[in-house]
Amino acid sequence: MFTVPIIERLKREEREILIFTHENPDGDGIGSMIGLYLFLKKLGKNVTAAMKDDLPYIYNFLPAVDEIKKLPIDKVFDVAILVDAAHKGRAGVEIKAKEIIRIDHHRGGEFESMYDYVEVTSPSTTFIVTQILREWDENLIDKDIATCLYTGLITDTGSFRYNNTDERAFEVAKFLVSKGADPFYISKMVFERNKLSTINLLQKTLSTLEIYGEGKIAILTVFRDFLKECSALEEETEGFVNFARSIDGVEIAILMIQKEDLKTWRVSLRGKGNVNVQQIASHFGGGGHKDAAGCRIIGDYYEIKNQLIQKSKEYLHNEALIVV
Ligand SMILES: [Mn+2]
């Protein structure tokens, strides 16, 4: 029977294991991290789950969230497992470990070890983690673990609406529901607990909407002042870019978020057509997937916005750059 190298590697690991994910963590990163953490803990492994940022509010219903540690940790781990990120730098802090293993579905990532499990066609990293855990010991997957893994599946597929949703996504969803994941409860906890501050912030953000490229490019901006005025946190902008994307005819949606230093901009890109937004993001030093990517740019707002619009237009008009 085919065995997954990472399973063999972790089976024999008795020393200290760290599981970590990217900064500004999303449901897939957090779900993968906690799901794998709970599984390894059940096996009696010496395992720690950690990330740089605070847990976004919408994921506070997940099991074991109070066991997540804060990075950086001043200790050298024997093995560190990076989930849902293209390379260890995405953690946002230095990771001290003798060996790093990557479990991920991002394109264009870095090779961290011979035990890496990277499958770019997977709808989510929790999808890959589910495959690993099923192969390892399906009976150890309980309701808590299934809840974490299902959460990553619905957040990365937009509740089975994005083009990474395929037959396998439903098959894994079915399996996770059979293990106790409750679709209604999880959806309600993730998507239907908006704070009033979030809706106020959304209102301000939507007022910045600009359309370019004959209706194919939509841009939204979250200025730092908005966060203050609404008493909102940056994490509350999660999903805002989808309002730009949802407009009829839009093929490239852009959300610019002003960081604390006022000159750094976190940019989220979403695609809904033939354009590969990852290529636009990588032009600015970022990365991601065909339909969801991001980057950070430092500089003047208008200049950066213009650069993003120009690059987007180039990709819209140049068929040769289009990857279907
Ligand atoms: Mn992911």
Side-chain angles (χ1 to χ4, degrees):
M1 194 182 169
F2 170 72
T3 46
V4 184
I6 187 175
I7 297 176
E8 295 311 315
R9 175 68 191 83
L10 293 176
K11 261 185 189 170
R12 60 169 201 266
E13 184 56 69
E14 298 299 337
R15 302 169 300 166
E16 287 195 90
I17 303 169
L18 170 72
I19 307 171
F20 67 112
T21 188
H22 54 84
E23 58 182 332
N24 301 312
D26 57 9
D28 194 28
I30 295 163
S32 299
M33 180 177 73
I34 306 177
L36 184 58
Y37 165 79
L38 290 173
F39 187 90
L40 293 179
K41 219 174 103 167
K42 261 184 146 174
L43 286 165
K45 299 284 180 190
N46 188 346
V47 60
T48 301
M51 57 189 191
K52 183 194 151 207
D53 296 304
D54 290 334
L55 183 81
Y57 160 78
I58 58 171
Y59 302 114
N60 65 5
F61 71 98
L62 290 175
V65 287
D66 47 358
E67 293 172 38
I68 301 174
K69 302 282 190 291
K70 202 87 183 241
L71 288 175
I73 296 175
D74 193 22
K75 173 201 277 188
V76 180
F77 286 88
D78 295 291
V79 185
I81 306 166
L82 170 63
V83 291
D84 194 43
H87 57 90
K88 60 179 184 290
R90 292 280 291 111
V93 287
E94 195 201 342
I95 300 300
K96 293 178 184 168
K98 291 176 191 155
E99 182 183 358
I100 290 177
I101 302 173
R102 185 176 148 235
I103 303 174
D104 186 32
H105 66 141
H106 289 90
R107 278 173 206 280
E110 279 168 26
F111 184 72
E112 300 286 0
S113 94
M114 61 182 286
Y115 299 104
D116 284 7
Y117 194 139
V118 177
E119 203 178 71
V120 299
T121 60
S122 290
S124 68
T125 299
T126 61
F127 175 94
I128 302 172
V129 173
T130 306
Q131 283 182 315
I132 293 171
L133 304 189
R134 277 173 102 165
E135 175 82 21
W136 190 327
D137 187 352
E138 190 177 309
N139 298 320
L140 286 181
I141 302 175
D142 57 23
K143 183 183 172 123
D144 279 354
I145 295 170
T147 298
C148 295
L149 300 177
Y150 186 86
T151 298
L153 191 60
I154 61 164
T155 52
D156 260 30
T157 60
S159 300
F160 307 105
R161 289 179 299 131
Y162 300 156
N163 81 349
N164 57 355
T165 306
D166 56 15
E167 197 181 335
R168 301 173 309 154
F170 287 104
E171 197 277 321
V172 160
K174 180 184 177 212
F175 170 77
L176 294 171
V177 171
S178 81
K179 288 292 187 181
D182 179 342
F184 175 60
Y185 170 75
I186 296 170
S187 293
K188 195 173 63 176
M189 296 313 268
V190 174
F191 301 115
E192 303 201 30
R193 289 192 299 152
N194 282 318
K195 292 179 182 175
L196 187 56
S197 58
T198 309
I199 300 301
N200 288 335
L201 183 64
L202 175 63
Q203 191 174 31
K204 281 189 189 292
T205 304
L206 291 177
S207 74
T208 68
L209 177 69
E210 291 178 84
I211 304 289
Y212 298 93
E214 288 138 31
K216 292 180 178 170
I217 303 166
I219 297 198
L220 290 170
T221 307
V222 180
F223 293 101
R224 209 70 203 170
D225 285 351
F226 290 2
L227 298 176
K228 258 183 254 155
E229 288 161 18
C230 300
S231 305
L233 300 171
E234 190 181 319
E235 66 177 55
E236 292 176 54
T237 61
E238 177 86 41
F240 280 14
V241 67
N242 296 325
F243 286 90
R245 178 189 147 121
S246 72
I247 301 165
D248 185 27
V250 165
E251 293 188 25
I252 301 172
I254 303 169
L255 176 72
M256 296 178 66
I257 302 170
Q258 188 174 30
K259 301 294 290 184
E260 281 144 311
D261 67 2
L262 307 183
K263 57 182 199 289
T264 304
W265 298 84
R266 177 152 77 93
V267 180
S268 294
L269 294 146
R270 295 291 181 275
K272 200 176 64 182
N274 289 329
V275 177
N276 181 348
V277 296
Q278 184 218 331
Q279 292 178 329
I280 301 173
S282 68
H283 177 81
F284 297 97
H289 312 278
K290 178 186 167 284
D291 285 330
C295 56
R296 265 167 203 263
I297 313 175
I298 295 170
D300 173 71
Y301 171 62
Y302 294 98
E303 226 165 80
I304 290 169
K305 193 169 71 174
N306 277 330
Q307 284 174 15
L308 286 163
I309 294 162
Q310 288 318 314
K311 255 307 145 201
S312 300
K313 282 183 179 168
E314 271 176 42
Y315 279 90
L316 278 173
H317 297 308
N318 191 343
E319 297 267 328
L321 297 172
I322 291 173
V323 176
V324 182

